[in-house]
Each structure stands twice: as structure tokens, then as C-alpha cells.
Amino acid sequence: MAEHLASIFGTEKDRVNCPFYFKIGACRHGDRCSRLHNRPTISPTLLLSNMYHRPDMITPGVDAQGQPIDPRKIQEHFEDFYEDIFEELSKFGEIESLNVCDNLADHMIGNVYVQFKEEDHAAAALQALQGRFYSGRPIIADFSPVTDFREATCRQYEENSCNRGGYCNFMHVKMIGRELRRKLFGRYRRFRKSRSRSRSASPHNRRDRDRREYRDYRERERDDYRAGRRHGRHESDSGRRRHESPKLSRSPIREGSEERRARIEQWNREREERQS
């Protein structure tokens, strides 16, 4: 029994802990909840409570004056907000995920969850956000116990089949467009791709990399040797041509006996003509 209690202590299975706070970092009962809300002292995830105010806060699809709003304008307003928050928070470290709730219940409406790659980055962001404002409203930030958003999100909402609508107790995560996601998160993928090329993760990949590097090294060595050998031969040949005499630069041609006799007769005739 003691082992069982020790194994579930501080988890969702422990009946003294609030399961909703454990899963989504928020509870509709707030401080009046009969169960414990174990607030983490450190976490990679921050909760910015009620930060996003959509233009149709009072009635979905209608502005404060009762006029219908084009859904494209609502999405554009949301993506502008999302990009602003992402760019500001990314100054403190790499962001794993940034989720904004589309729920309507008071404890979840406009909640922004940002999960950093490192806990130190989240701590630095939390410290920097203290006392700051956004759109004239104070930013309420704290560490969140949520680390797995798959358990926190409403699967029926993702399938467009949630019958509780905006008052569901699980996250209805508002989605951004593909282009904006590629723009914001693509920087991390490019960095990870370049880093993975320079440092393989598994021993098998390291062996393959070492073999490729050794093969490339041997090929470069052979090429250098061949180039050096050709270069050395040209230098030696040119050196010999510069220092050797013209007679020694080519082998003498041996003449035949008839050619020698004819040459001697020609020399004799030329000598007789000069004497006469």
C-alpha cells in the first residue's frame, strides 16, 4: 500500500490532486477546488492566462456592436497576435509549441501555453514578463504543469465533433495557417537539420559518417599525390632543359657507311674548289 501511494504521489492518479489542473493547468473551480493544485516551481511550460482577446469575445462571429465579422478577419487578427507573441517569447529560447485556447469558459478563454525546449528558457521568460502589459492589460504568467498537450487537447474538437462547444474542459487549440507555421517553426527545423548533418545521433550513423569521411580523405590523398607527381615531373624535365647543353638534350643519330663516304667526298670537293 505504501509503495502504491508513493508511486502515485504528485500524479493525476492521486485522489488528492485535481486531475484537470494536472492535465490542462487550469480548473473551473479555481482556488475553491476541493483538490490540490500542485503548482510547479519550475517547468518548460508557461501559462499566460486569458491573454488573447478575440474580436468576437461576447458572441462568436459578431463584434461588440452586433455586426457580423468575416471569419477571415478573425483568423487574421489571431495570426497577428500569435506572431507577436511568438517573436517576443522566442527571444528567450527555442519554442517547442505555442498553443492558444479557443475555449469560452472563464478559466480557459484566451489562455496561451508556451513550451520551451529548456526549463531555463521558460524561467528567463517568466522573469521578463513580470509587470509587463499587452494591449493595455497586464500579463498574468506562471509555470504550468502541462508538458504533454496530447493529453490536454480535446480530440473531439480536432474531429469537429465536440458537443460541449467552447465550454469544454479540455483545450480547443486554435490553429494557425500553414505558411505562418512554416515561417515561425521552420527556423528550428533548418537548424536541427544542419546540426544533424554535422553530428549524427546513432552509432550506426556515426560509423557511416566515419566511413564516408575516410573514403573522402583517401580520395583527396590520391588526387594530391597524382597532382604532385605530375607537377614534380614537369619541374624536373624543365630543369634538365634549362641546365643541359643542346648537344646533350637529344641523342646523336648514328649515320650509315654510305652516308659517311658521300659526306667525305662532298667535303673534299668543297676543299678543292676553295684551293683553286
Side-chain angles (χ1 to χ4, degrees):
M1 184 64 179
E3 292 180 358
H4 173 70
L5 293 176
S7 65
I8 65 174
F9 178 76
T11 67
E12 179 191 355
K13 296 180 181 180
D14 193 341
R15 298 288 296 177
V16 302
N17 295 322
C18 176
F20 282 104
Y21 181 79
F22 189 84
K23 283 185 177 180
I24 64 176
C27 173
R28 60 180 176 175
H29 300 293
D31 295 335
R32 300 188 305 273
C33 184
S34 60
R35 299 190 181 184
L36 294 179
H37 293 176
N38 289 316
R39 302 181 185 276
T41 57
I42 189 67
S43 172
T45 307
L46 296 182
L47 168 60
L48 313 180
S49 300
N50 310 125
M51 187 173 183
Y52 175 60
H53 282 207
R54 47 189 290 172
D56 55 345
M57 287 280 290
I58 301 175
T59 305
V62 179
D63 62 15
Q65 288 74 34
Q67 299 297 323
I69 306 176
D70 188 344
R72 291 174 296 182
K73 294 292 184 182
I74 297 176
Q75 183 66 19
E76 183 180 350
H77 179 274
F78 168 67
E79 292 193 355
D80 288 342
F81 166 84
Y82 191 100
E83 186 172 4
D84 285 346
I85 298 301
F86 188 97
E87 294 294 350
E88 182 63 26
L89 294 174
S90 63
K91 297 176 182 178
F92 304 100
E94 181 176 345
I95 295 176
E96 288 281 349
S97 60
L98 179 63
N99 297 316
V100 181
C101 287
D102 203 26
N103 304 66
L104 297 176
D106 292 340
H107 67 293
M108 296 188 68
I109 187 169
N111 281 359
V112 177
Y113 296 82
V114 54
Q115 184 177 22
F116 289 90
K117 188 174 181 63
E118 302 292 341
E119 290 180 345
D120 293 343
H121 300 162
L126 178 62
Q127 184 177 2
L129 292 173
Q130 299 299 323
R132 293 186 60 179
F133 289 74
Y134 183 85
S135 296
R137 298 184 303 273
I139 299 176
I140 304 172
D142 205 350
F143 289 120
S144 173
V146 180
T147 56
D148 188 354
F149 287 96
R150 293 172 298 180
E151 295 294 326
T153 54
C154 176
R155 293 180 178 84
Q156 286 76 21
Y157 175 77
E158 295 175 349
E159 299 170 356
N160 296 321
S161 61
C162 181
N163 55 12
R164 301 200 63 183
Y167 293 94
C168 179
N169 284 321
F170 288 91
M171 291 183 191
H172 287 189
V173 177
K174 196 168 178 63
M175 303 302 293
I176 60 174
R178 184 179 300 175
E179 292 183 2
L180 180 58
R181 179 166 295 278
R182 186 184 300 115
K183 173 185 176 182
L184 299 178
F185 289 94
R187 68 188 74 175
Y188 299 135
R189 286 196 291 271
R190 288 192 296 270
F191 173 72
R192 289 168 183 166
K193 187 175 181 180
S194 62
R195 185 171 58 184
S196 65
R197 287 197 187 113
S198 62
R199 184 178 63 188
S200 301
S202 65
H204 178 72
N205 290 336
R206 284 198 296 270
R207 285 195 298 270
D208 291 343
R209 182 198 62 189
D210 293 342
R211 289 169 183 168
R212 288 195 301 269
E213 290 181 354
Y214 180 75
R215 185 173 62 249
D216 294 340
Y217 167 76
R218 294 295 297 169
E219 290 177 357
R220 288 195 302 269
E221 195 176 49
R222 285 196 296 269
D223 293 341
D224 292 342
Y225 173 75
R226 292 167 183 167
R229 188 174 60 182
R230 289 194 298 269
H231 184 63
R233 186 178 66 244
H234 295 331
E235 281 188 344
S236 60
D237 291 348
S238 62
R240 283 196 298 269
R241 283 195 294 270
R242 284 196 301 270
H243 294 93
E244 291 175 353
S245 64
K247 292 181 180 179
L248 298 179
S249 62
R250 61 181 65 183
S251 300
I253 300 175
R254 189 177 181 85
E255 296 179 347
S257 57
E258 294 181 358
E259 294 175 348
R260 287 198 301 274
R261 283 196 298 269
R263 186 177 294 279
I264 291 171
E265 291 178 358
Q266 183 179 359
W267 288 345
N268 290 334
R269 284 196 302 270
E270 290 177 351
R271 186 176 58 180
E272 291 173 358
E273 288 176 358
R274 284 195 301 271
Q275 291 177 354
S276 62

